[in-house]
Amino acid sequence: MTEALETLRQGVRTWLEANAPRGWREACTDHQSFLDTQRSWFAKLVEGGYAVPHWPAEWPGGGRSLAEQKVIYEEFARADTPRLLLSFMSTYHAACTLFEWGSAAQQQHYIPRILEGEIWCQGFSEPNAGSDLAALNTRAERRGDVYVVNGQKLWSTMGQFADKCLLLVRTSSEGAKQAGLTYLLLDLKAKGVTVRPIHQIHGDEEFAELFLDDVEIPVGDRLGAEGQGWAVAQSTLSSERGLTLLELGARLRGSLWRIVGLIRGTGRAEDPGVLRDVGRLATKIDAAVAIADQFIAARIAGEEQVGDASLVKLTYSRTLREFTLLGLRLGGMEAQYHAPITFGGGMETGNWMADFMNSYAWTIAGGSDEVQRNIIAERLLGMPREPKGWTSAGAAA
């Protein structure tokens, strides 16, 4: 197996030497350059068979083992290729949810279009339903063969560039909040949809808000049964906290050279304190990758427990923050200047101030660290549930 993996590694490395985009960081200084780079790089990866190694084997480049996926992602990180931010939701969230919940007709319709470059976003969070996703209020009323949807979605990653949306809506207010949710597939070109980018303080527009006014969605574009949206949404979020974090962990490990470069550049290669901090960080990165590996192995074996994905997500978000904080500290005053961002650069770019600010998004997106800790405590450790109405101050509200 080691020999086979080494052969794969050399094959990926050779392919990247011939095909990896050059100078993309310098080029991606505006949204159009970012879009062009992302689309061309994804198309090249599809052609080369490296775009979706986590997909089933019947799809081009799919069927790769966990060990093979690690090798591919490690080599991409080593070559400093662009992260596929534009197709991130498409190849992970949308595809993985469709593979698990989609009918044969839905899979045959949507999956090939993802490989052709169709962009998806996620419509879960709302102004009053972020970490408490079950509190969402976007309504969908069934009228014959369509659902008529009204409401607003917030923090939709890459929503302003997307063609389709994974939409979680409320179809009933009876019973538990989770029981009234339904999962729909929305065409963002449909009548009544308005998409507005959200301008962020550091200069990016990574997110958008969606306004839905009497939008009609065919019943045939529902995943799962009506009222089963909560279960479908957990599959979507698990793909983010598991499969995607395998890639992100490999990229984080591959980006340690940026920390090493800072040490050498500042003449601190013999500083015991610095070496101690780097050693601790490297150990934490290895642990985060190992936890992601363990999660995926359990999922493949059918042994995944509720809360396993939360453990992966929490570990990665804390490790990413420590990585960017150490880079910011070692970089000194120069690293604290706010340099122009690289659109689509990810969170380990070496622009330490921007990376550090971006790292905090991972402690919130996909479920805050506090929510993940509650899930881990209650579902994995069997601890008592947090009392309803209990405040952070420790007193009943």
Side-chain angles (χ1 to χ4, degrees):
M1 188 61 181
T2 302
E3 183 178 349
L5 288 176
E6 186 58 30
T7 299
L8 172 63
R9 185 180 299 278
Q10 292 304 319
V12 175
R13 191 170 295 182
T14 299
W15 186 86
L16 286 170
E17 289 173 356
N19 293 280
R22 312 296 178 188
W24 66 271
R25 290 189 182 277
E26 294 74 19
C28 289
T29 56
D30 58 76
H31 283 116
Q32 189 57 54
S33 299
F34 162 69
L35 292 173
D36 293 343
T37 298
Q38 290 277 307
R39 287 178 173 136
S40 62
W41 179 227
F42 180 72
K44 190 171 289 187
L45 286 172
V46 171
E47 182 181 355
Y50 295 117
V52 288
H54 57 290
W55 283 18
E58 59 264 30
W59 299 98
R64 294 286 191 178
S65 69
L66 175 63
E68 289 173 326
Q69 291 180 51
K70 283 183 63 179
V71 166
I72 293 171
Y73 295 142
E74 286 168 356
E75 289 305 308
F76 282 10
R78 177 181 176 276
D80 192 31
T81 60
R83 270 196 66 218
L84 294 174
L85 297 179
L86 193 63
S87 53
F88 181 86
M89 291 285 175
S90 309
T91 58
Y92 284 103
H93 297 61
C96 294
T97 308
L98 283 163
F99 286 138
E100 186 167 349
W101 290 92
S103 66
Q106 288 171 329
Q107 293 179 13
Q108 292 167 8
H109 178 79
Y110 287 115
I111 298 297
R113 286 169 169 78
I114 291 176
L115 289 178
E116 293 169 1
E118 187 170 74
I119 304 303
W120 287 70
C121 68
Q122 185 171 295
F124 283 15
S125 296
E126 297 180 4
N128 295 312
S131 58
D132 184 11
L133 186 59
L136 66 85
N137 288 312
T138 294
R139 304 285 306 188
E141 178 185 351
R142 182 165 179 174
R143 300 177 186 172
D145 294 332
V146 301
Y147 286 99
V148 179
V149 183
N150 287 277
Q152 178 186 356
K153 295 294 179 178
L154 196 61
W155 306 120
S156 180
T157 304
M158 299 293 160
Q160 65 270 45
F161 308 121
D163 305 297
K164 306 291 183 182
C165 177
L166 303 170
L167 187 67
L168 197 58
V169 298
R170 180 165 301 284
T171 49
S172 174
S173 299
E174 299 179 2
K177 293 187 294 184
Q178 292 89 340
L181 303 183
T182 298
Y183 202 110
L184 303 175
L185 307 177
L186 167 66
D187 182 351
L188 289 173
K189 305 300 187 294
K191 182 181 178 181
V193 177
T194 302
V195 182
R196 296 177 184 168
I198 299 173
H199 184 73
Q200 296 162 255
I201 193 171
H202 66 302
D204 202 353
E205 292 180 348
E206 184 182 357
F207 307 100
E209 53 185 341
L210 314 177
F211 298 89
L212 311 171
D213 299 297
D214 289 332
V215 178
E216 294 188 357
I217 301 177
V219 173
D221 280 337
R222 184 187 68 208
L223 290 186
E226 185 171 303
Q228 205 172 14
W230 182 257
V232 183
Q234 295 313 301
S235 298
T236 304
L237 295 173
S238 291
S239 73
E240 175 182 33
R241 298 167 189 163
L243 293 171
T244 57
L245 292 177
L246 173 65
E247 176 187 355
L248 293 175
R251 285 187 175 271
L252 191 59
R253 177 188 276 163
S255 296
L256 268 173
W257 68 268
R258 297 188 186 280
I259 299 288
V260 174
L262 283 176
I263 297 173
R264 291 173 176 169
T266 55
R268 303 174 70 181
E270 304 299 326
D271 187 322
V274 170
L275 296 178
R276 176 201 62 205
D277 291 345
V278 173
R280 287 177 176 173
L281 175 62
T283 301
K284 289 184 178 181
I285 291 175
D286 282 346
V289 172
I291 290 172
D293 291 351
Q294 187 180 47
F295 166 79
I296 294 173
R299 169 172 282 194
I300 292 172
E303 299 172 353
E304 177 187 351
Q305 302 180 69
V306 176
D308 285 349
S310 294
L311 187 61
V312 178
K313 200 269 184 183
L314 178 64
T315 304
Y316 175 78
S317 66
R318 305 304 299 183
T319 305
L320 176 65
R321 186 187 292 188
E322 292 191 32
F323 175 92
T324 58
L325 178 60
L326 182 58
L328 188 65
R329 180 163 63 84
L330 293 176
M333 186 62 69
E334 182 179 350
Q336 296 183 42
Y337 295 144
H338 178 61
I341 67 168
T342 298
F343 291 99
M347 293 159 289
E348 314 91 19
T349 68
N351 183 347
W352 294 109
M353 181 55 74
D355 290 347
F356 179 67
M357 290 191 292
N358 273 334
S359 72
Y360 275 79
W362 264 100
T363 66
I364 301 172
S368 68
D369 283 3
E370 291 77 13
V371 169
Q372 306 309 325
R373 288 192 180 99
N374 275 349
I375 294 173
I376 293 167
E378 295 170 7
R379 307 306 293 270
L380 287 181
L381 302 179
M383 297 175 67
R385 294 181 64 86
E386 182 177 1
K388 292 184 179 180
W390 197 262
T391 68
S392 58

